[in-house]
Amino acid sequence: MWGGRFAVRPDDLMQAINVSIGFDRRLAEQDLAGSHAHAAMLRKQGVITSEDEAAIQSGLNAIAGEIQDGTFPFREEFEDIHMNVEARLRELIGPAAGRLHTARSRNDQVAVDFRLWVREACDRTLAQLLRLQVALLDRAEQHAATLMPGFTHLQPAQPVTFGHHLMAYLEMFGRDAGRFADARTRMNECPLGAAALAGSPFPIDREATATALGFDRPTANSLDSVSDRDFALEALAAATLCGIHLSRLAEELVIWTTPQFGFVRLSDAFSTGSSIMPQKRNPDAAELVRAKVGRLMGSFTQLTIVMKGLPLAYSKDMQEDKVPTFEAFDALELSLAAMTGMILDLEPAVDRMAAAAGAGFSTATDLADWLVRTLDMPFREAHHVTGAAVKRAEALGVDLPGLPLAEFQALCQGITPAVFEVLTPAASAGSRQSYGGAAPDQVRLQVARWRERLA
Ligand code: ARG
């Protein structure tokens, strides 16, 4: 491509470090879209003739066909996807191919290709997040009243419902969707026409190419246009946060499926066995989702380090933007799909969860609250009396509802049999009617709110 200035072929090592076709071939479709839009605009602006444009467009279509049926020759000697397409176009249509690169540089070309790819990745992720959210919503609605222990410090804290627990993840994935949508809005400006770095002396119409490629507007500074990779970093940051949420949910599945917890069972379809221990049912998919976040964080870190300290405008360092981004979205796509599969697959062990919901004196706070409400006791004092009741129950080897009335009354005279009504896990969860609380009615309210939001 630059034979005019160069007499000698690149050293093998030069080619080895420079070549990107091995990975940027994934931008082929976006590269063709950019070229279609650019050629049409050049013709409309009178920069190239209709005949040349027609030849270019049909050549690009032929290339799209070759890429689709796997016959396109991806060649390392042409370095990257942009020069591979142009070289092939020349073979297919002859010298007219050389007019396509008028008023364009690989710098704005790769910027637009990559932006299109990241935009599509965000759209795919949003669609996947929606599927996961609907799966969580369906399961949460089914189990709005299914009792389970709520934890802090992974110690039994207060009874909640399985639906309430799942809805917590709906909130997280909702924020993730918001971040992807937000990043998408901000990235939706078209860098094409910034050319190498300074813009073009040709009468190009950047509004036209921006519109043709589905962007809201052209980018406003040519230097920024070719040197900006914020769009990828924002998408990777959103992916990393989403990966953290997936990893936390995966961790819960790993814990819940242990025989010790036994809260949830994954079917054979989402479990694996052991080659030596016949009794095993391992949650490998959950473990791998838990681990994949490492790739996401790694990708985000890689690209932040590539970009920091780069002077304006384009530097070849930026070619290293693609591999981490592709890898991250591949990992995220698989993780979201696997998690959705597991959410739809899992079966909660309702009785076991309900039994666990009452264990560990989980309704102690309800006793303290009852003392405050019924006997007008200051909360600190109620906390003290309740602590003594728990201590007594522990000594007697019973749970709180099993502590005899006389024992309660020995600690506090005013306690009446009515106290037992608040000491069951169902009463405890059912009483948490504050907005966003664990009561089944509140869970159903949030389910309805999310149904509307996701519709
Ligand atoms: N393959 C390059 C990349 O991915 C395309 C841009 C090359 N531009 C340049 N001035 N060498 O970044």
Side-chain angles (χ1 to χ4, degrees), residues 229 232-234 236-237 297-310 320-321 324:
R229 294 294 181 272
L233 283 169
E234 281 194 48
L236 289 175
M297 287 182 191
S299 294
F300 175 69
T301 308
Q302 274 183 56
L303 189 52
T304 55
I305 293 169
V306 166
M307 294 308 294
K308 73 169 276 296
L310 284 189
E320 293 285 312
D321 56 3

Side-chain angles (χ1 to χ4, degrees), residues 20 24 79-80 82 106-107 110 314 316 318-319 322:
S20 60
D24 67 14
E79 193 181 315
D80 60 20
H82 325 295
R106 278 189 297 155
N107 295 350
V110 74
Y314 177 85
K316 194 62 174 259
M318 289 159 65
Q319 180 164 287
K322 290 166 208 71

